């Protein structure tokens, strides 16, 4: 007789998040310690997570930089306007130092371009719009404060300071910063491998012709897309049947990845065997449900898998975390956003970040029942301060077509029965 499934632990949304974040923190620490890193070309580094700090190799900017096209001046020369100054040279961006006027004296100015070095003596740049050039003279009609239109040498960063820390996920600005300090390659953590195991007797491969009561596997693909977006590598396993003998070996295989995501088979049906299979494999469960909709039956735990492969001493074991995500396609996607994403961040070495909600005005009233925190597919529209949001019409958490039209989820707290049109509501965008 198989061991009984774990006792049911249904927790609030906040508690479920807290538990996941707690475990994620442990994972992150061990991931950083294990230090599985690689060096990647800067062009391929966007979205990867830095495993070493990036330091400024010189002052940024390396010289006092003009931020405008205009004239480098001494600001005190412009106390009476208009002022006429002698133009002693022209400085373009990239000009050699020996071709720049050694110093600007009182009564003098130099024509200067954006990005060019400001010569000694000058303490401000007057925008060309406020000047009239006449041969070797310039008439200036506007005064400037000391330092105006100049970024002082080292004002953005001093040589040797930390620019990007370990655990930073490289966004386009960080890529630009790395380029600006000469990093054509960057050390990053290896992408975590995430096994995806779809369960269900009714599920067939995307290329198969489904029988009249069968449906094609879509969850493996939404999950693979979400995994990739999160900077990890999906490993798709074959579809598992609703039967323990078929399910357990595939779970064991999935546990060899850095994280295992199962979909389907976690509800109360007679053939929902995922929890039972995991319990048989002596899994530890942190929760077996969360008070949310969609996604209530979500399961989170970890399971020790015996490894005796190459490079590991026989019998050595390590625990792999898993999520049993509900099979309804929208539930699968939502529970990934809410719970899997923080775990993936940790597995990829990223520093933790809070779940961020935007706020927008509700276009139409929402009525619902209390008791569950809801994340309902919605459309966010309107620009600037006109952001408004409305639910998409849907047929429940199996409705992928409606969800594909949505671009966010409206978050409804568990104690609200009605939210009025015009009310500000929390909105969850993907990748928060
Ligand atoms: P379950 O959680 O196994 O009870 O499944 C809930 C619903 O989701 C059922 O209607 C399933 O047919 C559907 N479902 C489960 N797995 C998938 C999948 N991989 N792709 C699409 N639909 C699925
Ligand atoms: Mg099922």
């Amino acid at each position: 007789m198989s061991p009984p499934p774990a006792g049911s632990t249904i927790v609030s949304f906040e508690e479920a998040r807290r538990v996941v974040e707690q475990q994620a923190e442990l994972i992150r620490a061990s991931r950083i310690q294990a230090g599985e890193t690689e060096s990647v070309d800067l062009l391929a580094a966007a979205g990867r997570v830095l495993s070493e700090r990036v330091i400024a190799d010189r002052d940024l900017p390396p010289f006092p930089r003009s931020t405008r096209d205009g004239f480098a001046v001494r600001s005190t020369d412009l106390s009476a306007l208009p002022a006429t100054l002698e133009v002693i040279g022209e400085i373009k961006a990239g000009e050699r130092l020996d071709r720049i006027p050694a110093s600007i004296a009182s009564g003098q100015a130099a024509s200067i371009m954006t990005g060019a070095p400001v010569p000694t003596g000058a303490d401000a740049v007057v925008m060309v719009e406020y000047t009239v050039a006449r041969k070797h003279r310039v008439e200036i009609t506007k005064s400037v404060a000391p330092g105006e239109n100049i970024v002082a040498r080292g004002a953005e960063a001093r040589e040797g300071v930390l620019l990007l820390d370990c655990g930073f996920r490289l966004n386009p600005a960080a890529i630009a910063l790395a380029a600006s300090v000469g990093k054509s390659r960057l050390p990053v953590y290896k992408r975590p491998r995430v096994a995806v195991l779809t369960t269900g007797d009714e599920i067939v491969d995307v290329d198969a012709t489904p029988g009249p009561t069968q449906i094609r596997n879509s969850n493996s693909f939404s999950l693979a897309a979400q995994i990739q977006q999160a900077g990890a590598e999906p490993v798709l396993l074959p579809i598992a049947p609703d039967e323990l003998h078929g399910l357990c070996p595939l779970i064991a295989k999935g546990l060899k990845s850095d994280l295992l995501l199962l979909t389907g088979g976690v509800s109360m049906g007679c053939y929902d065997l995922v929890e039972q299979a995991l319990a048989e494999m002596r899994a530890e469960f942190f929760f077996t449900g969360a008070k949310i909709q969609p996604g209530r039956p979500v399961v989170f735990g970890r399971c020790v898998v015996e490894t005796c492969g190459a490079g590991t001493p026989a019998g050595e074991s390590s625990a792999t975390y898993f999520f049993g995500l509900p099979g309804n396609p929208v539930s699968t996607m939502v529970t990934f956003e809410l719970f899997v994403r923080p775990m993936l961040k940790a597995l990829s070495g990223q520093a933790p970040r809070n779940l961020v909600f935007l706020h927008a005005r509700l276009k139409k009233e929402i009525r619902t029942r209390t008791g569950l925190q809801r994340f309902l597919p919605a459309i966010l529209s309107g620009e600037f301060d006109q952001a408004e949001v409305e639910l998409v019409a849907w047929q429940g958490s199996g409705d992928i077509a409606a969800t594909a039209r949505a671009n966010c989820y409206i978050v409804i707290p568990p104690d609200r029965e009605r939210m009025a049109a015009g009310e500000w509501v929390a909105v969850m965008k993907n990748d928060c």
Side-chain angles (χ1 to χ4, degrees):
M1 183 65 200
S2 55
S8 151
T9 320
I10 315 281
V11 295
S12 68
F13 167 63
E14 286 80 9
E15 176 63 5
R17 272 289 293 202
R18 197 189 59 74
V19 169
V20 170
E21 275 160 13
Q22 205 173 36
Q23 296 305 319
E25 217 25 53
L26 296 176
I27 280 283
R28 201 171 77 87
S30 65
R31 188 80 182 175
I32 288 168
Q33 220 173 19
E36 282 202 44
T37 63
E38 60 188 329
S39 163
V40 293
D41 195 273
L42 189 54
L43 274 176
R48 302 299 300 270
V49 180
L50 264 184
S51 63
E52 281 174 32
R53 310 190 317 163
V54 173
I55 305 290
D57 69 332
R58 58 179 184 158
D59 286 346
L60 294 180
F63 50 83
R65 181 180 65 212
S66 174
T67 61
R68 302 282 185 214
D69 296 319
F71 287 85
V73 298
R74 287 175 175 249
S75 54
T76 47
D77 281 351
L78 305 182
S79 45
L81 294 174
T84 301
L85 302 176
E86 178 196 359
V87 178
I88 61 164
E90 182 192 89
I91 311 165
K92 56 183 173 72
E95 189 67 281
R96 276 177 18 205
L97 281 178
D98 60 356
R99 296 175 59 163
I100 293 174
S103 177
I104 300 280
S106 181
Q108 296 181 329
S111 166
I112 193 163
M113 313 300 147
T114 302
V118 177
T120 316
D123 68 347
V125 170
V126 184
M127 288 167 67
V128 72
E129 288 85 338
Y130 303 112
T131 67
V132 183
R134 304 183 203 286
K135 285 204 167 170
H136 299 299
R137 306 207 149 263
V138 60
E139 189 182 286
I140 296 176
T141 55
K142 191 170 184 270
S143 62
V144 276
E148 203 169 319
N149 300 324
I150 298 176
V151 181
R153 176 176 178 160
E156 292 163 358
R158 283 267 170 224
E159 180 181 338
V161 302
L162 174 72
L163 295 177
L164 298 168
D165 209 348
C166 278
F168 191 93
R169 186 160 187 215
L170 292 156
N171 58 26
I175 298 283
L177 188 55
S180 74
V181 295
K183 298 277 183 195
S184 57
R185 296 187 71 78
L186 284 173
V188 295
Y189 290 110
K190 287 200 170 157
R191 293 182 200 276
R193 286 163 54 82
V194 183
V196 177
L197 179 53
T198 273
T199 72
D201 284 343
E202 78 282 28
I203 311 295
V204 297
D205 269 327
V206 63
D207 292 327
T209 306
T213 58
Q214 292 179 318
I215 57 162
R216 295 190 183 94
N217 174 17
S218 63
N219 288 350
S220 292
F221 296 93
S222 60
L223 284 173
Q226 287 175 298
I227 290 166
Q228 279 167 337
Q229 262 180 13
E233 192 185 316
V235 180
L236 267 50
L237 295 171
I239 297 166
D242 289 323
E243 174 263 310
L244 285 177
H245 289 297
L247 195 51
C248 288
L250 285 169
I251 291 179
K253 199 167 176 192
L255 289 170
K256 290 185 179 146
S257 287
D258 297 310
L259 180 69
L260 168 62
L261 303 182
L262 297 115
T263 91
V266 287
S267 309
M268 300 300 285
C270 303
Y271 298 95
D272 289 326
L273 301 174
V274 163
E275 270 176 61
Q276 192 183 333
L278 284 157
E280 279 199 13
M281 299 169 80
R282 301 187 198 291
E284 177 185 358
F285 292 87
F286 298 113
F287 56 78
T288 56
K291 290 180 191 156
I292 56 170
Q293 192 242 342
R296 195 169 189 275
V298 60
V299 172
F300 175 46
R302 66 181 167 196
C303 188
V304 170
V305 55
E306 296 287 326
T307 54
C308 47
T312 34
E316 189 175 304
S317 57
S318 64
T320 304
Y321 286 83
F322 62 81
F323 287 93
L325 306 179
N328 264 317
V330 187
S331 311
T332 313
M333 286 183 256
V334 169
T335 46
F336 181 97
E337 289 303 327
L338 297 177
F339 305 118
V340 181
R341 200 174 274 282
M343 201 57 170
L344 277 189
K345 282 190 174 160
L347 277 167
S348 58
Q350 264 183 87
R353 225 188 68 192
N354 291 339
L355 189 61
V356 177
F357 296 139
L358 311 175
H359 284 82
R361 279 192 192 282
L362 197 57
K363 246 178 158 172
K364 286 185 197 148
E365 175 192 64
I366 299 177
R367 283 182 181 275
T368 180
R369 283 191 306 276
T370 56
L372 298 177
Q373 174 121 347
R374 293 172 205 268
F375 300 85
L376 304 181
I379 295 178
L380 179 67
S381 58
E383 281 193 326
F384 307 115
D385 54 355
Q386 303 297 316
E388 45 183 18
V389 67
E390 67 180 319
L391 294 178
V392 291
W394 74 330
Q395 302 301 315
S397 52
D399 193 342
I400 325 175
T403 307
R405 288 194 298 276
N407 59 11
C408 66
Y409 298 96
I410 292 179
V411 185
I412 306 177
D415 58 345
R416 296 294 302 274
E417 262 184 325
R418 173 178 178 266
M419 297 177 92
E423 202 176 313
W424 286 95
V425 292
V427 169
M428 181 176 79
K429 292 283 285 172
N430 292 353
D431 195 15
C432 283

